[in-house]
Amino acid sequence: MTGFLRTDGVRLVDEAGTPVRLLGVGLGGWLNMENFITGYPANESMMRAAVGAVLGPERAELFFDRLLEVFFTEADARFLAGAGVNSVRIPVNYRHFEDDAAPFTLLDKGFQRLDRVDELCAAQGFYSIIDLHALPGSQNHHWHSDNPTHIPLLWRHPHFQDRAVHLWEALADRYRDNPWVAGYNPVNEPADESRQVLGPFYRRLLGAIRAVDPRHVLFLDGNTYATEFDVFAEPWDNVVYTCHDYAAAGLGKDAPSDPAFLEEKFRQRTEYSRRTGTPISSNAASTGPLPRTPTPAATPGSTPSTSNKPTPAPTSTSSTAPAATPSPATPTSARPCVGLQPRSAACTCRSTTTPRCGPPG
């Protein structure tokens, strides 16, 4: 690898100017436990409380410490490298770095765990992306932000926003000199129903991170579960605008999988990136295998795999691709429903149970 990644028009490049196309998986279920991955009901904090009630606090702590240690090991990193991965997005829950009972007091154990996995990835020659998947107060309505209330309180209370900024200042300070960290994903799938808070919060957060770490790429999700980008005006420097384009068929749901329909949804969700000439980054559910060899612009040091092991079918992939010809933006009347509001006739999320507007995580 050659130094830090940065944006260059529609591409990511290394410090030598060589294009780098990120192809990877998400390490879901580790530092942010999600029920559809680890197989328990509800959200992480409720699971921890239930296990603690059965085992007692000391045994429960031992159980989770051991789980987090063996969930991802050197063998897993080697397997991913052999499958052709050149990046891993690491979702993290703020509760590993801060206790609600002691706001603004950081917990070193969470940073040590993140260090370990980042070092395992680097040793195998691929990047990591740090993704704050669950923020104080919860940035969206659902389990993957460790939200037991279905109310995204982050957007209502400045206290939670202050804590999120404080945590990102600490993360940026810790990894500012680490080129194997491809970048930071400060807010996974925000859902600001007011549409008034997210834009100013992003400006504040970007300024706070850049004051500590001016080099790393920032991956900014659009509003409404990373599907709408009208909170952004002119693009910021060294920023990738990330859409989440989960096709329902890839999630095992009985929903349209017509290629034309899926392409149109992708074009709607990437309209901002294509219009502004910035890299296209998409997290998408997949049922297919990863390629066995890196893409031509993959990280130096990765080599074609000769392994006979089957390649994994990731819950999410991250790719950054050149921009295509712009298409019209999604009209306001066709926006998906937001959170727990009643679903309108114009809703495009096709939910048949609890209305929601975004993909799962």
PDB file of all heavy atoms in Angstrom, residues 330-348:
ATOM      1  N   THR A 330     -34.900  11.570  -7.049  1.00  0.00           N
ATOM      2  CA  THR A 330     -36.155  11.015  -6.585  1.00  0.00           C
ATOM      3  C   THR A 330     -37.114  12.128  -6.223  1.00  0.00           C
ATOM      4  O   THR A 330     -36.781  12.990  -5.405  1.00  0.00           O
ATOM      5  CB  THR A 330     -35.920  10.149  -5.342  1.00  0.00           C
ATOM      6  OG1 THR A 330     -34.915   9.200  -5.646  1.00  0.00           O
ATOM      7  CG2 THR A 330     -37.197   9.435  -4.926  1.00  0.00           C
ATOM      8  N   PRO A 331     -38.295  12.200  -6.815  1.00  0.00           N
ATOM      9  CA  PRO A 331     -39.229  13.257  -6.445  1.00  0.00           C
ATOM     10  C   PRO A 331     -39.667  13.100  -5.007  1.00  0.00           C
ATOM     11  O   PRO A 331     -39.763  12.000  -4.471  1.00  0.00           O
ATOM     12  CB  PRO A 331     -40.404  13.048  -7.425  1.00  0.00           C
ATOM     13  CG  PRO A 331     -40.278  11.629  -7.886  1.00  0.00           C
ATOM     14  CD  PRO A 331     -38.819  11.312  -7.861  1.00  0.00           C
ATOM     15  N   THR A 332     -39.968  14.250  -4.360  1.00  0.00           N
ATOM     16  CA  THR A 332     -40.357  14.219  -2.958  1.00  0.00           C
ATOM     17  C   THR A 332     -41.559  13.319  -2.733  1.00  0.00           C
ATOM     18  O   THR A 332     -41.645  12.588  -1.745  1.00  0.00           O
ATOM     19  CB  THR A 332     -40.686  15.647  -2.477  1.00  0.00           C
ATOM     20  OG1 THR A 332     -39.539  16.473  -2.697  1.00  0.00           O
ATOM     21  CG2 THR A 332     -41.070  15.659  -1.004  1.00  0.00           C
ATOM     22  N   SER A 333     -42.495  13.315  -3.661  1.00  0.00           N
ATOM     23  CA  SER A 333     -43.710  12.521  -3.473  1.00  0.00           C
ATOM     24  C   SER A 333     -43.449  11.032  -3.494  1.00  0.00           C
ATOM     25  O   SER A 333     -44.274  10.248  -3.051  1.00  0.00           O
ATOM     26  CB  SER A 333     -44.725  12.874  -4.570  1.00  0.00           C
ATOM     27  OG  SER A 333     -44.171  12.571  -5.847  1.00  0.00           O
ATOM     28  N   ALA A 334     -42.281  10.635  -4.012  1.00  0.00           N
ATOM     29  CA  ALA A 334     -41.976   9.208  -4.103  1.00  0.00           C
ATOM     30  C   ALA A 334     -41.042   8.740  -3.006  1.00  0.00           C
ATOM     31  O   ALA A 334     -40.563   7.624  -3.036  1.00  0.00           O
ATOM     32  CB  ALA A 334     -41.355   8.899  -5.461  1.00  0.00           C
ATOM     33  N   ARG A 335     -40.743   9.623  -2.031  1.00  0.00           N
ATOM     34  CA  ARG A 335     -39.841   9.216  -0.972  1.00  0.00           C
ATOM     35  C   ARG A 335     -40.445   8.089  -0.146  1.00  0.00           C
ATOM     36  O   ARG A 335     -41.648   8.045   0.062  1.00  0.00           O
ATOM     37  CB  ARG A 335     -39.546  10.406  -0.055  1.00  0.00           C
ATOM     38  CG  ARG A 335     -38.547  11.387  -0.664  1.00  0.00           C
ATOM     39  CD  ARG A 335     -38.341  12.561   0.257  1.00  0.00           C
ATOM     40  NE  ARG A 335     -37.390  13.482  -0.335  1.00  0.00           N
ATOM     41  CZ  ARG A 335     -37.355  14.776  -0.076  1.00  0.00           C
ATOM     42  NH1 ARG A 335     -38.217  15.295   0.759  1.00  0.00           N
ATOM     43  NH2 ARG A 335     -36.451  15.545  -0.643  1.00  0.00           N
ATOM     44  N   PRO A 336     -39.612   7.200   0.360  1.00  0.00           N
ATOM     45  CA  PRO A 336     -40.125   6.125   1.201  1.00  0.00           C
ATOM     46  C   PRO A 336     -40.647   6.651   2.520  1.00  0.00           C
ATOM     47  O   PRO A 336     -40.373   7.784   2.916  1.00  0.00           O
ATOM     48  CB  PRO A 336     -38.908   5.225   1.436  1.00  0.00           C
ATOM     49  CG  PRO A 336     -37.819   5.754   0.583  1.00  0.00           C
ATOM     50  CD  PRO A 336     -38.185   7.109   0.140  1.00  0.00           C
ATOM     51  N   CYS A 337     -41.377   5.807   3.232  1.00  0.00           N
ATOM     52  CA  CYS A 337     -41.884   6.198   4.541  1.00  0.00           C
ATOM     53  C   CYS A 337     -40.732   6.330   5.520  1.00  0.00           C
ATOM     54  O   CYS A 337     -39.670   5.792   5.313  1.00  0.00           O
ATOM     55  CB  CYS A 337     -42.879   5.162   5.053  1.00  0.00           C
ATOM     56  SG  CYS A 337     -42.162   3.529   5.313  1.00  0.00           S
ATOM     57  N   VAL A 338     -40.942   7.044   6.594  1.00  0.00           N
ATOM     58  CA  VAL A 338     -39.900   7.280   7.579  1.00  0.00           C
ATOM     59  C   VAL A 338     -40.283   6.588   8.875  1.00  0.00           C
ATOM     60  O   VAL A 338     -41.316   6.864   9.465  1.00  0.00           O
ATOM     61  CB  VAL A 338     -39.712   8.791   7.833  1.00  0.00           C
ATOM     62  CG1 VAL A 338     -38.691   9.019   8.916  1.00  0.00           C
ATOM     63  CG2 VAL A 338     -39.278   9.483   6.550  1.00  0.00           C
ATOM     64  N   GLY A 339     -39.448   5.655   9.299  1.00  0.00           N
ATOM     65  CA  GLY A 339     -39.596   5.041  10.608  1.00  0.00           C
ATOM     66  C   GLY A 339     -40.935   4.410  10.842  1.00  0.00           C
ATOM     67  O   GLY A 339     -41.423   3.601  10.057  1.00  0.00           O
ATOM     68  N   LEU A 340     -41.580   4.816  11.923  1.00  0.00           N
ATOM     69  CA  LEU A 340     -42.827   4.184  12.329  1.00  0.00           C
ATOM     70  C   LEU A 340     -44.060   4.957  11.882  1.00  0.00           C
ATOM     71  O   LEU A 340     -45.155   4.713  12.349  1.00  0.00           O
ATOM     72  CB  LEU A 340     -42.842   4.023  13.858  1.00  0.00           C
ATOM     73  CG  LEU A 340     -41.698   3.174  14.416  1.00  0.00           C
ATOM     74  CD1 LEU A 340     -41.801   3.101  15.935  1.00  0.00           C
ATOM     75  CD2 LEU A 340     -41.744   1.785  13.833  1.00  0.00           C
ATOM     76  N   GLN A 341     -43.869   5.938  10.995  1.00  0.00           N
ATOM     77  CA  GLN A 341     -45.023   6.641  10.498  1.00  0.00           C
ATOM     78  C   GLN A 341     -45.847   5.735   9.590  1.00  0.00           C
ATOM     79  O   GLN A 341     -45.320   4.793   9.003  1.00  0.00           O
ATOM     80  CB  GLN A 341     -44.584   7.872   9.703  1.00  0.00           C
ATOM     81  CG  GLN A 341     -43.909   8.933  10.563  1.00  0.00           C
ATOM     82  CD  GLN A 341     -43.510  10.123   9.741  1.00  0.00           C
ATOM     83  OE1 GLN A 341     -43.557  10.075   8.510  1.00  0.00           O
ATOM     84  NE2 GLN A 341     -43.117  11.190  10.396  1.00  0.00           N
ATOM     85  N   PRO A 342     -47.154   6.009   9.467  1.00  0.00           N
ATOM     86  CA  PRO A 342     -47.968   5.184   8.558  1.00  0.00           C
ATOM     87  C   PRO A 342     -47.420   5.243   7.141  1.00  0.00           C
ATOM     88  O   PRO A 342     -46.998   6.285   6.661  1.00  0.00           O
ATOM     89  CB  PRO A 342     -49.353   5.837   8.650  1.00  0.00           C
ATOM     90  CG  PRO A 342     -49.350   6.549   9.959  1.00  0.00           C
ATOM     91  CD  PRO A 342     -47.936   7.005  10.175  1.00  0.00           C
ATOM     92  N   ARG A 343     -47.417   4.130   6.475  1.00  0.00           N
ATOM     93  CA  ARG A 343     -46.877   4.045   5.125  1.00  0.00           C
ATOM     94  C   ARG A 343     -47.867   4.633   4.132  1.00  0.00           C
ATOM     95  O   ARG A 343     -49.050   4.313   4.133  1.00  0.00           O
ATOM     96  CB  ARG A 343     -46.580   2.587   4.788  1.00  0.00           C
ATOM     97  CG  ARG A 343     -45.931   2.383   3.452  1.00  0.00           C
ATOM     98  CD  ARG A 343     -45.307   1.001   3.389  1.00  0.00           C
ATOM     99  NE  ARG A 343     -46.261  -0.014   3.776  1.00  0.00           N
ATOM    100  CZ  ARG A 343     -46.620  -1.032   2.995  1.00  0.00           C
ATOM    101  NH1 ARG A 343     -46.072  -1.162   1.823  1.00  0.00           N
ATOM    102  NH2 ARG A 343     -47.473  -1.926   3.399  1.00  0.00           N
ATOM    103  N   SER A 344     -47.378   5.524   3.277  1.00  0.00           N
ATOM    104  CA  SER A 344     -48.236   6.152   2.287  1.00  0.00           C
ATOM    105  C   SER A 344     -48.255   5.322   1.007  1.00  0.00           C
ATOM    106  O   SER A 344     -47.457   4.415   0.816  1.00  0.00           O
ATOM    107  CB  SER A 344     -47.714   7.562   1.972  1.00  0.00           C
ATOM    108  OG  SER A 344     -46.490   7.474   1.289  1.00  0.00           O
ATOM    109  N   ALA A 345     -49.156   5.706   0.108  1.00  0.00           N
ATOM    110  CA  ALA A 345     -49.250   4.988  -1.159  1.00  0.00           C
ATOM    111  C   ALA A 345     -47.996   5.165  -1.990  1.00  0.00           C
ATOM    112  O   ALA A 345     -47.674   4.337  -2.835  1.00  0.00           O
ATOM    113  CB  ALA A 345     -50.467   5.492  -1.937  1.00  0.00           C
ATOM    114  N   ALA A 346     -47.262   6.278  -1.732  1.00  0.00           N
ATOM    115  CA  ALA A 346     -46.040   6.542  -2.501  1.00  0.00           C
ATOM    116  C   ALA A 346     -44.823   5.845  -1.930  1.00  0.00           C
ATOM    117  O   ALA A 346     -43.741   5.928  -2.493  1.00  0.00           O
ATOM    118  CB  ALA A 346     -45.769   8.045  -2.542  1.00  0.00           C
ATOM    119  N   CYS A 347     -44.991   5.141  -0.809  1.00  0.00           N
ATOM    120  CA  CYS A 347     -43.841   4.503  -0.161  1.00  0.00           C
ATOM    121  C   CYS A 347     -43.225   3.462  -1.083  1.00  0.00           C
ATOM    122  O   CYS A 347     -43.931   2.675  -1.711  1.00  0.00           O
ATOM    123  CB  CYS A 347     -44.282   3.834   1.134  1.00  0.00           C
ATOM    124  SG  CYS A 347     -43.004   2.836   1.903  1.00  0.00           S
ATOM    125  N   THR A 348     -41.895   3.466  -1.157  1.00  0.00           N
ATOM    126  CA  THR A 348     -41.197   2.525  -2.013  1.00  0.00           C
ATOM    127  C   THR A 348     -40.451   1.466  -1.235  1.00  0.00           C
ATOM    128  O   THR A 348     -39.684   0.705  -1.807  1.00  0.00           O
ATOM    129  CB  THR A 348     -40.199   3.274  -2.917  1.00  0.00           C
ATOM    130  OG1 THR A 348     -39.288   4.001  -2.086  1.00  0.00           O
ATOM    131  CG2 THR A 348     -40.912   4.208  -3.854  1.00  0.00           C
TER     132      THR A 348
END
